[in-house]
Amino acid sequence: MRALSLSAGLLALSSLCLPLHATAAPGVGLPPAPQQEADQPDWLIKAANTLPHPRQVAWQDLGLTCFIHFGPNTFTGVEWGNGFEDPEVFQPGEEMDAEQWVRVAKDAGMKMMMITVKHHDGFCTWQTRYTKHSVASSAWKDGKGDVLRELSGACEKHGLLLGVYLSPADLYQIEQPGGLYGNLSKKTTRTIPEKVAGARPFPEGHRTFTYDGIDDYNAYMLNQLYELLTEYGPVHEVWFDGAHPKRKGGQTYNYDAWFDMIRELAPDAVIAIKGPDVRWVGNEGGHGRANEFSVLPIAPDGKETWADRTAADLGSRAVLKRAHEQGMDFHWYPAEVDTSIRGGWFYHAREDGHPKMGLQRLINCYFDGPGNNGVFLLNVPPDRRGLFHETDVAALQNFGRYIKQTFKTNHAAGARAYVSASRNGHGPDLLTDSDDQTFWQLPEGHNRGWVQLDLGEPKTFDVVDLRESILTQGQRIEAFTVEAHTEGKWREIGKGGTVGHRKALRIDQVTAQHVRIHITSGRSNASLHSVGLYDRPLILSTPDIKRDRKGMVTISAPAGAVIHYTLDGSDPTPDSKRYNKPFELKDKGVVSAVAVDPNNTGARSDVTIGRFDVSPTKWSILVRSSDQENAGEAADNAIDGDPSTIWHSRWRPDKPAHPHMIAIDFGETLKLKGFSYLPRAEDHKTGCILGYKLEVSEDGRAWQAASEGEFQNMTNNPAYREVSFDKTHKARYMRLISTSAINNSPHASAAEIGVITE
Ligand code: FUL
């Protein structure tokens, strides 16, 4: 990028009040200098000057990271274990290969492996000295296996960073006799690591830590952290999950001591979720907010408890103003966007060949994560062999290729930049140089401004990639618009809100030589260290498959695409049957569909797989037994095959309470192996069932319990669930009874309720 020098022409123009650094680009002109916002309040300037720690920026630079959920649940088929698992169930195959995980992740562009070394069930997948409930008690590798050791070795070999997820919730320590969790032990002064008779010595070179007020469980956590941070090479992220299937004894956590030890033993590690460096984005679906702020209010004087932040607006001016008035501090707290490539966090064989995340959804998460001022932590659960499953490997390869291809050529590189104004020493030439440490910045007092790029010749692009220089200048841009000069005039081609570390804005494809970015609202004077213009490869969106109440299957794809499908579970190709109109599928079946570009380009979408059980053609609601809201939210909506309509329990009486019931007559006797529940789709999820009872009946009078419990992890991830019964039940009738709902909602609701038949 070439810096503009002051020319005689420019001097003449600047005397006409055109901004400094500007010179006319022939034929396209330059916009006038924007009017600046009068004095900005102190609290806003304070937010503009709230900066990240360098370790947070280094973490954010990773962009894409890999989550590994691997433990007893991999083998027992549940999402949350209960602490009673026999260590013997942990039995990866001989072909287990942590290097395969790392290689596949690296090829997909991931920069860190974050592994659950202890999930809520309490089983430890490293050789810990502090419990027998670990790999040491499994026959796997004769009790000598160590998953973390294998992963850290593979990470080191392939140059990826390592992160550890150590669950504070620990059901083994809650449930087992002598368990340490909530055992009401005395809070005393403890020196960590505590000695264990006969245990292998710790590596030399690390100091010990002495903390006051530590009970048994906190000592256990500290001892384990000490092991994890001293014996497995550098750790770059420590994840403390906030989820708790169960609590006991009023157990509290000495976070200050945990954090202190981490800072000392792993100074480059960010402490995530229940910690000060990285916040959970607020959902497990991989979605970011339209405006993802990194500067958030926190409680002052070290009183912050790092509660989940799930509100839609976390850091707008309105939020900051209110927080400031309430005496809160501001803190740099960037978002980690996490989701699983599969329906569950752990591997479940039933999901093989049934990817939750096709290419389109992975891409969306990318643009919601690193492309939206966050980091995308994508979970890929190893299977029972101890390998990433072929389905997931293929999805990751596709995804990696797409991202590499998208960001291969920056059409803004080498462009000539004009700006509304610059701070001294931070001119436009620093905007597209290849040095991320240098940046262009508006002068003080300018909270608005523009950048105009002359690309030298018309270029085609559909991504505008902006990056603020957050390390020293923080997050300041609140709103921007993008214009392109096409067909002789300027027109808006995109707009956005926050930028921060990075905003990769997807727009409709445009071909233009001149492009403008207007910073239309900023806190103080914003900076940008780079602008990118990229062109995404064409992909065809995956088809959507639906079956209605009458058993008619409709497959839809973007206009123009041709759909092919199979009904035998095989992968559809352009030679498979072509879809023309809805067809009937009353029984159980699998529909696999692909969209193909009709223009012989060979372009194809990912395959969508629709798995259907018997259709609800003959089903009806037992109206008298069902608690239903009739105004548009009747129980029938839960069996109509349309996820956009819902059943909702009665809003009145004014104090509704569980249980709520929905009862179905199948119109014939079915052999039921289980049932499925799809919560309503809206963000608020009112009435999303947590605790349930499922009863079946052959005659509608005598009911038998088939399943009872809580949908695991429903609060954090209110999504589709399947529940298997212990045995097959013959039933003509089924009723679902809610015993609780997430967020303590007194209601019950469902988008769809289905069956799993033999
Ligand atoms: C949640 C946990 O309860 C899930 O099992 C999973 O580990 C997810 C990443 O965090 O809070």
Side-chain angles (χ1 to χ4, degrees):
M1 157 71 27
R2 198 145 68 80
L4 284 179
S5 53
L6 285 178
S7 65
L10 173 62
L11 288 175
L13 286 168
S14 63
S15 68
L16 294 172
C17 294
L18 271 173
L20 197 68
H21 286 293
T23 188
V28 294
L30 292 170
Q35 202 178 355
Q36 303 302 332
E37 192 177 339
D39 282 352
Q40 296 199 317
D42 287 353
W43 50 265
L44 194 62
I45 302 298
K46 183 175 153 195
N49 290 321
T50 298
L51 299 181
H53 187 281
R55 72 165 81 85
Q56 291 175 300
V57 181
W59 168 81
Q60 202 146 6
D61 285 341
L62 301 177
L64 191 57
T65 55
C66 187
F67 218 164
I68 306 278
H69 278 69
F70 192 46
N73 299 350
T74 310
F75 303 89
T76 55
V78 300
E79 279 290 290
W80 280 356
N82 56 20
F84 291 97
E85 290 77 17
D86 182 344
E88 285 299 344
V89 300
F90 187 77
Q91 204 53 254
E94 293 210 336
E95 62 271 61
M96 168 168 163
D97 184 7
E99 216 180 313
Q100 183 239 16
W101 314 345
V102 173
R103 270 197 315 267
V104 173
K106 187 176 177 180
D107 277 357
M110 294 164 155
K111 301 286 190 309
M112 185 198 285
M113 307 297 285
M114 157 74 58
I115 185 166
T116 56
V117 292
K118 180 185 86 167
H119 202 249
H120 310 327
D121 54 68
F123 182 82
C124 302
T125 58
W126 80 100
Q127 290 285 341
T128 176
R129 299 164 180 77
Y130 296 96
T131 177
K132 289 200 168 49
H133 195 57
S134 79
V135 277
S137 304
S138 153
W140 177 60
K141 300 199 170 178
D142 295 329
K144 304 265 181 324
D146 188 326
V147 179
L148 186 59
R149 170 88 45 230
E150 296 190 21
L151 181 61
S152 69
C155 283
E156 200 190 329
K157 182 165 168 194
H158 292 277
L160 263 67
L161 304 183
L162 181 69
V164 290
Y165 166 118
L166 184 70
S167 171
D170 186 325
L171 286 156
Y172 179 81
Q173 296 296 341
I174 287 181
E175 304 286 10
Q176 298 302 322
L180 304 175
Y181 191 109
N183 68 354
L184 306 178
S185 57
K186 272 217 185 87
K187 297 184 176 178
T188 58
T189 302
R190 312 264 188 141
T191 296
I192 308 294
E194 289 175 321
K195 296 210 166 49
V196 179
R200 66 181 188 284
F202 276 101
E204 305 217 324
H206 300 288
R207 71 168 179 86
T208 57
F209 296 81
T210 301
Y211 299 112
D212 294 333
I214 303 294
D215 62 16
D216 286 354
Y217 188 68
N218 278 284
Y220 179 67
M221 284 293 286
L222 285 163
N223 283 318
Q224 294 202 321
L225 278 170
Y226 189 90
E227 292 181 314
L228 297 170
L229 301 179
T230 58
E231 298 194 284
Y232 294 91
V235 168
H236 281 83
E237 182 165 352
V238 180
W239 229 82
F240 293 126
D241 201 330
H244 282 78
K246 202 168 183 178
R247 296 183 191 255
K248 184 180 158 192
Q251 179 69 54
T252 55
Y253 304 134
N254 291 60
Y255 283 123
D256 288 349
W258 304 5
F259 298 169
D260 175 75
M261 181 186 278
I262 296 168
R263 291 287 190 242
E264 179 77 22
L265 294 176
D268 296 331
V270 287
I271 307 175
I273 317 307
K274 285 302 212 183
D277 299 327
V278 170
R279 70 181 154 89
W280 178 47
V281 74
N283 63 79
E284 293 186 354
H287 310 299
R289 296 169 175 77
N291 288 300
E292 208 55 87
F293 292 97
S294 292
V295 175
L296 268 59
I298 62 165
D301 309 323
K303 297 222 172 62
E304 174 59 42
T305 55
W306 313 112
D308 292 342
R309 271 125 170 119
T310 53
D313 179 0
L314 295 179
S316 68
R317 289 191 187 194
V319 167
L320 295 181
K321 180 166 187 279
R322 199 168 45 243
H324 171 75
E325 286 163 2
Q326 290 165 352
M328 295 183 72
D329 275 346
F330 295 158
H331 177 71
W332 189 271
Y333 207 24
E336 183 166 54
V337 175
D338 64 335
T339 196
S340 181
I341 198 162
R342 290 184 164 236
W345 290 98
F346 285 88
Y347 169 82
H348 305 297
R350 62 176 179 270
E351 293 180 286
D352 287 353
H354 187 188
K356 176 184 101 179
M357 304 278 280
L359 183 57
Q360 189 59 62
R361 284 185 73 175
L362 288 169
I363 294 168
N364 289 344
C365 291
Y366 184 90
F367 283 94
D368 267 16
N372 190 42
N373 194 30
V375 165
F376 178 25
L377 175 62
L378 173 61
N379 183 64
V380 189
D383 62 17
R384 291 181 188 170
R385 294 170 300 174
L387 294 173
F388 282 179
H389 189 273
E390 290 73 2
T391 314
D392 304 337
V393 173
L396 285 172
Q397 284 170 341
N398 249 344
F399 172 54
R401 262 197 302 273
Y402 177 92
I403 297 298
K404 265 183 222 139
Q405 176 75 22
T406 298
F407 295 104
K408 201 168 78 185
T409 309
N410 179 3
H411 296 301
R416 175 183 276 241
Y418 307 85
V419 293
S420 57
S422 299
R423 174 185 156 195
N424 261 348
H426 294 277
D429 50 328
L430 304 176
L431 186 57
T432 51
D433 63 2
S434 53
D435 186 347
D436 288 354
Q437 308 304 316
T438 63
F439 52 91
W440 162 74
Q441 188 169 23
L442 285 166
E444 263 188 51
H446 288 219
N447 81 309
R448 299 187 183 119
W450 50 257
V451 172
Q452 185 166 318
L453 300 175
D454 179 350
L455 310 179
E457 58 182 351
K459 298 276 169 70
T460 299
F461 56 91
D462 58 12
V463 176
V464 180
D465 193 336
L466 304 178
R467 301 176 192 219
E468 286 184 73
S469 193
I470 55 170
L471 181 64
T472 59
Q473 305 308 313
Q475 180 180 19
R476 297 185 173 190
I477 297 175
E478 294 172 315
F480 66 92
T481 60
V482 188
E483 291 179 321
H485 194 262
T486 56
E487 290 161 17
K489 58 174 195 274
W490 287 96
R491 61 186 182 96
E492 188 173 295
I493 55 168
K495 61 180 174 189
T498 51
V499 173
H501 181 262
R502 180 175 175 206
K503 176 69 192 183
L505 180 73
R506 286 179 284 182
I507 57 171
D508 289 341
Q509 199 178 58
V510 62
T511 302
Q513 178 174 342
H514 301 279
V515 182
R516 264 179 206 161
I517 294 129
H518 292 272
I519 298 169
T520 52
S521 179
R523 303 172 173 177
S524 195
N525 50 328
S527 70
L528 283 175
H529 76 70
S530 67
V531 177
L533 299 174
Y534 298 99
D535 196 21
R536 289 171 280 159
L538 253 186
I539 58 159
L540 290 181
S541 303
T542 46
D544 197 26
I545 308 176
K546 276 196 187 124
R547 184 176 70 176
D548 69 12
R549 180 73 187 269
K550 298 196 181 89
M552 297 303 286
V553 176
T554 307
I555 313 180
S556 47
V562 172
I563 300 167
H564 295 270
Y565 71 99
T566 64
L567 295 174
D568 61 2
S570 64
D571 261 1
T573 68
D575 296 330
S576 310
K577 194 166 175 161
R578 186 169 165 165
Y579 173 83
N580 295 316
K581 59 177 193 325
F583 57 88
E584 193 173 74
L585 180 70
K586 288 214 163 135
D587 296 329
K588 249 177 125 142
V590 183
V591 183
S592 311
V594 68
V596 176
D597 182 356
N599 304 317
N600 285 332
T601 57
R604 285 186 207 184
S605 71
D606 284 342
V607 171
T608 310
I609 303 176
R611 285 173 200 278
F612 300 102
D613 214 290
V614 291
S615 84
T617 324
K618 299 183 190 158
W619 299 12
S620 58
I621 295 294
L622 293 176
V623 176
R624 257 178 298 158
S625 314
S626 298
D627 172 359
Q628 59 177 328
E629 186 61 43
N630 282 313
E633 295 179 342
D636 202 61
N637 291 338
I639 55 169
D640 66 356
D642 179 357
S644 68
T645 62
I646 65 160
W647 158 62
H648 199 289
S649 58
R650 260 188 302 280
W651 289 96
R652 298 193 176 277
D654 290 338
K655 286 196 182 135
H658 297 280
H660 301 288
M661 182 153 81
I662 177 166
I664 303 167
D665 174 358
F666 300 132
E668 62 185 333
T669 300
L670 299 176
K671 287 185 178 164
L672 294 189
K673 276 171 44 188
F675 77 102
S676 63
Y677 171 68
L678 178 70
R680 61 191 301 186
E682 307 86 341
D683 282 346
H684 51 84
K685 303 274 185 210
T686 306
C688 172
I689 298 175
L690 178 62
Y692 69 86
K693 283 187 196 156
L694 195 288
E695 295 177 348
V696 292
S697 166
E698 287 195 69
D699 58 8
R701 282 188 293 278
W703 292 87
Q704 208 189 337
S707 177
E708 177 170 359
E710 281 193 354
F711 292 113
Q712 297 174 336
N713 199 27
M714 195 54 122
T715 304
N716 286 342
N717 189 22
Y720 179 76
R721 291 291 193 284
E722 283 182 3
V723 174
S724 301
F725 302 149
D726 293 337
K727 59 172 192 166
T728 302
H729 293 270
K730 271 184 153 181
R732 159 141 184 188
Y733 304 90
M734 173 173 100
R735 61 189 191 191
L736 175 65
I737 301 156
S738 69
T739 55
S740 64
I742 65 169
N743 305 327
N744 293 324
S745 165
H747 307 286
S749 64
E752 290 300 306
I753 292 169
V755 291
I756 305 167
T757 58
E758 204 171 70

